Every structure is written in C-alpha cells, then in structure tokens.
Amino acid sequence: ATNKGVEFVYAARIFQPPVQTASPTHALTNNFIGDEFGEYKQLAMRFTKDQATVGMKVGLTRARSYPVTARLTAYSSTTPGTGQVAEATLNLGSSPTPITQNLSVTAPSGNIRSVVLALIGPAAGNAEYETIDDLTFSSVGPPCVSDTASPTVQMIKPATNGTVSYTPHI
C-alpha cells in the first residue's frame, strides 16, 4: 500500500478471520494478540495525494452483547482527526458478519487526506477491533516511503569461534 500512496498510521496486521471476506481469505485488522485494551485503538490511514472517495469492506469478527456501528470519518489533513470533511456509518449488528459490507466516504471537493475507521457501540466503553478488506481510493499517489537503499545484515553473535544451531521452519 505504501507504494500506492497509502500509509497505515497505527499498527495493523493481515490475518485470516473466522468470517467470510470480500477477497478470500484474509483481511486487515488492528487486533493484536495480548494487546490489552487494543479495541479502543482505531484504524487510521493517510494518503500522499488528495482523494475524492475512500471505501472499504467492513464486518464484525465476533459476537458482542451490544450493536456495533462502523463509522468512517474523512479528514482534509494528513493528521487523522483534523479537518473533518465527510462521515459515513453502517450498522453491523451484534453477531459476526462477513467482511463484505461497503462503507465509503466522498468529499465533493476531493480533499480527503486521511480517514479513521471506528467500530463502536451505543455506550461509552463499547468498542470493537476494526477489520477491513478491499481498501479502495480514487487516486494513486506517490510512495509514502522513498527508501531505495539495499538492505544489509550484520551478524554480531555468536562471537569469534562460537557456534550456531538452527533448525529451519517453514
């Protein structure tokens, strides 16, 4: 995504959810194993070029005791949360739902530079991990990362005359 001008502001990972996805069989989430209170973090993206429309597929990966709403908010700044230009919501219910439901925002002025997705419940303290598939946007921008240097590796352990035991895992 970084080569298309999209940067995920906070950590996210690809995983295989327990529900159907729009593009089988994986999706992107901000749910990390052992991340206590991680459901209160939101999924944010910024773009290196102005966007007129940003969309994604959303769903709910687990049952909740309250209804969950997906809220996608667009901003005119590359700092998510600054300069709101559009917002859209979608009721996901409280049961697991496939990650196939469309959620998008459009700015007539074409000045979307960041978006934030939040899965929220009806009361304070109700939150859910965000999960998306099929991120779409109107304009490919310049890369977010311009690192073109070749990678290097330096072995610093074991020390001279040391040994290494390694069993490859696939």
Side-chain angles (χ1 to χ4, degrees), residues 46-129:
R46 62 178 150 226
F47 304 92
T48 58
K49 184 175 182 179
D50 285 354
Q51 305 296 321
T53 302
V54 176
M56 59 193 66
K57 307 286 189 194
V58 296
L60 191 58
T61 60
R62 62 185 180 161
R64 302 303 291 173
S65 61
Y66 49 83
V68 175
T69 299
R71 181 181 64 213
L72 183 61
T73 309
Y75 301 94
S76 59
S77 170
T78 55
T79 302
T82 304
Q84 182 175 335
V85 294
E87 184 173 276
T89 60
L90 179 65
N91 182 0
L92 299 175
S94 58
S95 299
T97 58
I99 306 165
T100 57
Q101 300 175 67
N102 292 314
L103 182 61
S104 65
V105 286
T106 300
S109 55
N111 63 338
I112 298 172
R113 291 303 298 269
S114 63
V115 295
V116 174
L117 174 67
L119 269 58
I120 55 174
N126 294 158
E128 180 55 52
Y129 293 102

Side-chain angles (χ1 to χ4, degrees), residues 2-60:
T2 58
N3 288 332
K4 304 288 184 189
V6 180
E7 178 185 6
F8 291 90
V9 179
Y10 310 116
R13 68 181 178 95
I14 302 293
F15 80 123
Q16 189 168 358
V19 296
Q20 176 188 350
T21 58
S23 58
T25 57
H26 291 76
L28 181 111
T29 187
N30 62 348
N31 182 355
F32 288 88
I33 307 306
D35 183 12
E36 188 176 14
F37 306 115
E39 66 270 22
Y40 297 101
K41 299 174 184 172
Q42 298 171 342
L43 195 57
M45 293 148 266
R46 62 178 150 226
F47 304 92
T48 58
K49 184 175 182 179
D50 285 354
Q51 305 296 321
T53 302
V54 176
M56 59 193 66
K57 307 286 189 194
V58 296
L60 191 58

Side-chain angles (χ1 to χ4, degrees), residues 149-158:
S150 298
T152 60
V153 175
Q154 180 182 17
M155 300 282 210
I156 57 173
K157 289 186 179 183

